[in-house]
Amino acid sequence: MAKESYAFTTPIYYVNAAPHLGTAYTTIAADTVARYQRMNGKDVAFVTGMDEHGQKVADTAAANGMTPQAWCDSMEPAFRDAWDMLRITYTDFVRTTEPRHARTVRDFWQRLFDEGWLYKGAYEGWYCVHEETYYAESDLEKDEEGAFVCPDCKRPVQLMASGEENWFFKLSEFQQPLLDFYEANPDFIRPESRKNEIVSFVSRGLKDLSISRSTFDWGVPLPFDEGHVAYVWADALLAYLTGIGYADPDRPGEFDHHWPMQYHFVGKDIIRFHCVIWPAMLMAAGMPITHTVFGHGFLLTKGEKMSKSKGNALRPADLVGVFGVDAYRYYFMSDVQFGHDGSISMERMVQVYNNELANTWGNLVSRVTNMTKKYFDGRVPEPPAGAEANPLRDEAAGLHEAYDAAMAQVDFTGAAAAVQRLAARANRYIEETEPFRLAKDPERADELAAVMYNLLEAIRIVALYMAPFAPATSATVFERLGLGGIAEVDDIAAASAWGQLPAGNAVEVGDPLFPRLDVDNLPDFE
């Protein structure tokens, strides 16, 4: 039987700058979901990529003395290398300049053209190149000199000349269908605060959307009018379809298996495109709509959103060099509540690293493996009868339910807290049982064996549930317990049932998983 699909996307990222902590945040979140759902036995489709068309990209390329295509080609390694460094397990990386994606764009818009959802007309209005967005004059703000500026990025906007003819999508006809859809599908927009924003926006009325440009040619030509290229959002959103084989003769059956998707993970600044324009496009095409758009918050440094223009957009490599990949991943998933803005700092990262990774998880592994070497010659002891009745098994018994419920809600913080409770309980268990005292009394050998088996088994289970956050560390722990690859787990509920660590397995003692850090000796990137 074919595995059940679990499909989702990150945004298709602009190529005007290399990935920073904000783009990495979304991508790590998606990868955490990917890894967990694979451990749940799902057939995961995880799509990401590069948004390479549009005026902003053409302008950036020109400013760097390059053609648009050469600029995009130069940016591909920046993204792929960043995702490789962070151990991102995407299933497709879509570049919107690829011929396969042009086929998707042309096929989709031809479909809407044939169905009568498009018309040609003159447009006069305000356009922000940076945000790739049209605005009504009533939505604009003014700078100190009284000139109109974008309400989002505060940059100057351009008045598009009335002489330019564009192709328009009849978005205005979808106002009520969208409102009906939101009501019938209350989980489509998450978190709830984003839903309220979108419902209010749509309720005020929608205008038809220009989906083409004819004043420049850096884009996919429309099949019914080669003098027009697709507007960047009419292009990039369709990469989600390309990434699962839409209209691709080389990937038969894949699109039908994976569509509709479970999630689009996006920043809250692009939620209108994903919750208004995108579902309207799909409705017009007669296609089902992705179950949920999750608009997460911004990462803040010193109270400001991270961005290249503010000069506070750290590179992932900066922090990976200090904390390591797994600690980097764990911090952003465990300490920044997905869906809300999160303030980050080196001090807080060190605090989480030392408290949860070094002191709780890493120290547990070190203590228990060292005691196993000392008391049982580095072998998992045979648990005596009755050993299964213990507080660690009791704590582990509720772990899957709590963890799975949190992950179903994309509550990474809650999932991480659930697994930390078992690790913390194991550390307390050491203090309660005092294995070092038991080892001094030969008559308590069975009791010592029970305690050590329970601790080793708790470590195995913690490693399973830490794997989506910190995959390399969990793989190392499995190796130290003499187990096979953790990547092969495809039923985490069954794999985490108590008592599966084989007695007699060789247990290795290795270097500390997370050496403690001193915040006073770290570089200051802020």
Side-chain angles (χ1 to χ4, degrees):
M1 182 189 300
K3 290 184 177 181
E4 180 182 352
S5 170
Y6 204 98
F8 48 88
T9 72
T10 70
I12 306 302
Y13 298 114
Y14 281 133
V15 294
N16 57 319
H20 54 71
L21 297 193
T23 49
Y25 176 54
T26 318
T27 311
I28 292 170
D31 189 65
T32 302
V33 172
R35 289 176 178 275
Y36 179 63
Q37 293 303 336
R38 290 189 190 103
M39 295 177 81
N40 264 336
K42 303 295 175 60
D43 182 9
V44 167
F46 168 12
V47 178
T48 189
M50 291 170 28
D51 181 2
E52 304 183 29
H53 286 135
Q55 186 176 342
K56 179 165 63 173
V57 173
D59 290 349
T60 300
N64 285 273
M66 302 171 73
T67 66
Q69 187 65 63
W71 169 256
C72 295
D73 291 345
S74 75
M75 293 302 295
E76 182 180 11
F79 282 87
R80 288 193 184 271
D81 291 351
W83 304 155
D84 287 348
M85 175 187 67
L86 295 172
R87 304 190 179 106
I88 305 300
T89 57
Y90 55 82
T91 59
D92 202 330
F93 186 99
V94 179
R95 294 186 59 179
T96 60
T97 54
E98 292 179 279
R100 63 178 180 139
H101 179 65
R103 180 177 61 230
T104 297
V105 174
R106 293 167 69 86
D107 182 279
F108 186 90
W109 287 112
Q110 183 67 57
R111 186 173 178 175
L112 266 60
F113 176 82
D114 293 342
E115 293 292 328
W117 290 111
L118 306 179
Y119 66 90
K120 200 171 189 179
Y123 181 82
E124 182 170 355
W126 298 95
Y127 183 71
C128 175
V129 173
H130 183 266
E131 298 294 329
E132 303 275 20
T133 304
Y134 295 95
Y135 294 96
E137 188 168 309
S138 59
D139 293 330
L140 298 175
E141 298 178 4
K142 290 186 177 181
D143 61 17
E144 294 178 354
E145 298 177 356
F148 285 124
V149 295
C150 172
D152 294 316
C153 71
K154 315 306 180 187
R155 290 175 172 82
V157 291
Q158 299 177 0
L159 181 63
M160 304 302 293
S162 59
E164 180 187 353
E165 282 193 317
N166 291 352
W167 282 95
F168 286 81
F169 169 51
K170 297 177 182 178
L171 182 63
S172 60
E173 297 192 19
F174 289 91
Q175 178 181 351
Q176 194 57 49
L178 284 169
L179 292 172
D180 293 343
F181 177 77
Y182 303 149
E183 184 175 1
N185 299 272
D187 288 334
F188 173 62
I189 305 171
R190 294 184 53 210
E192 189 73 17
S193 58
R194 312 278 185 261
K195 177 182 175 182
N196 298 336
E197 170 194 332
I198 294 300
V199 170
S200 175
F201 174 78
V202 174
S203 296
R204 294 196 298 269
L206 297 175
K207 295 182 178 180
D208 290 346
L209 177 72
S210 171
I211 59 99
S212 76
R213 298 292 302 276
S214 60
T215 54
F216 65 92
D217 61 2
W218 184 237
V220 178
L222 295 178
F224 47 83
D225 192 340
E226 295 285 340
H228 288 249
V229 297
Y231 165 52
V232 63
W233 281 101
D235 171 350
L237 289 165
L238 294 170
Y240 302 148
L241 308 185
T242 301
I244 53 172
Y246 176 87
D248 190 337
D250 296 326
R251 299 164 72 172
E254 184 176 344
F255 180 78
D256 290 338
H257 179 53
H258 288 304
W259 190 265
M261 291 181 162
Q262 273 69 28
Y263 281 100
H264 296 310
F265 294 116
V266 301
K268 65 181 182 179
D269 53 335
I270 55 174
I271 198 165
R272 288 186 184 179
F273 298 102
H274 288 81
C275 295
V276 181
I277 296 172
W278 182 225
M281 288 166 55
L282 293 168
M283 287 179 180
M287 296 171 61
I289 297 168
T290 292
H291 299 325
T292 300
V293 175
F294 199 108
H296 66 73
F298 294 144
L299 297 180
L300 308 176
T301 56
K302 299 180 179 179
E304 290 189 315
K305 174 192 172 186
M306 271 195 284
S307 70
K308 202 74 174 177
S309 60
K310 293 181 184 295
N312 63 355
L314 297 179
R315 298 181 309 127
D318 294 334
L319 296 182
V320 167
V322 175
F323 296 94
V325 173
D326 278 9
Y328 174 106
R329 289 173 57 108
Y330 179 83
Y331 167 75
F332 282 101
M333 293 297 95
S334 68
D335 200 57
V336 181
Q337 185 69 52
F338 203 63
H340 302 276
D341 291 347
S343 183
I344 66 170
S345 68
M346 291 289 284
E347 290 79 10
R348 179 59 184 162
M349 289 189 74
V350 171
Q351 184 180 25
V352 171
Y353 176 98
N354 283 338
N355 290 348
E356 298 182 18
L357 297 179
N359 293 353
T360 300
W361 178 217
N363 189 45
L364 174 66
V365 173
S366 293
R367 294 170 80 186
V368 174
T369 54
N370 273 290
M371 286 190 292
T372 303
K373 179 180 180 181
K374 184 175 182 179
Y375 305 142
F376 292 96
D377 296 323
R379 296 283 175 178
V380 177
E382 182 74 42
E388 65 274 7
N390 68 86
L392 298 189
R393 180 177 182 175
D394 294 342
E395 184 71 44
L399 176 54
H400 180 265
E401 182 179 0
Y403 188 101
D404 188 68
M407 291 293 270
Q409 294 299 312
V410 204
D411 177 12
F412 302 115
T413 302
V419 69
Q420 278 290 319
R421 286 194 291 272
L422 177 56
R425 186 65 187 88
N427 278 306
R428 293 200 307 276
Y429 183 69
I430 294 174
E431 307 310 317
E432 293 164 357
T433 58
E434 298 183 311
F436 59 93
R437 292 190 183 276
L438 297 177
K440 295 177 181 179
D441 186 349
E443 294 185 2
R444 304 182 75 181
D446 280 356
E447 192 175 344
L448 176 63
V451 166
M452 293 307 301
Y453 183 87
N454 293 337
L455 286 166
L456 289 163
E457 176 66 344
I459 285 174
R460 182 188 71 85
I461 293 171
V462 170
L464 280 170
Y465 287 96
M466 282 291 286
F469 300 107
T473 303
S474 287
T476 296
V477 172
F478 258 48
E479 290 171 3
R480 292 186 186 182
L481 294 178
L483 299 171
I486 199 168
E488 283 73 48
V489 173
D490 62 3
D491 186 345
I492 191 170
S496 58
W498 189 266
Q500 297 183 58
L501 180 62
N505 266 25
V507 175
E508 297 178 5
V509 176
D511 294 333
L513 298 176
F514 299 99
R516 282 185 58 84
L517 295 174
D518 183 351
V519 70
D520 294 330
N521 295 327
L522 298 180
D524 183 8
F525 296 115
E526 297 181 310

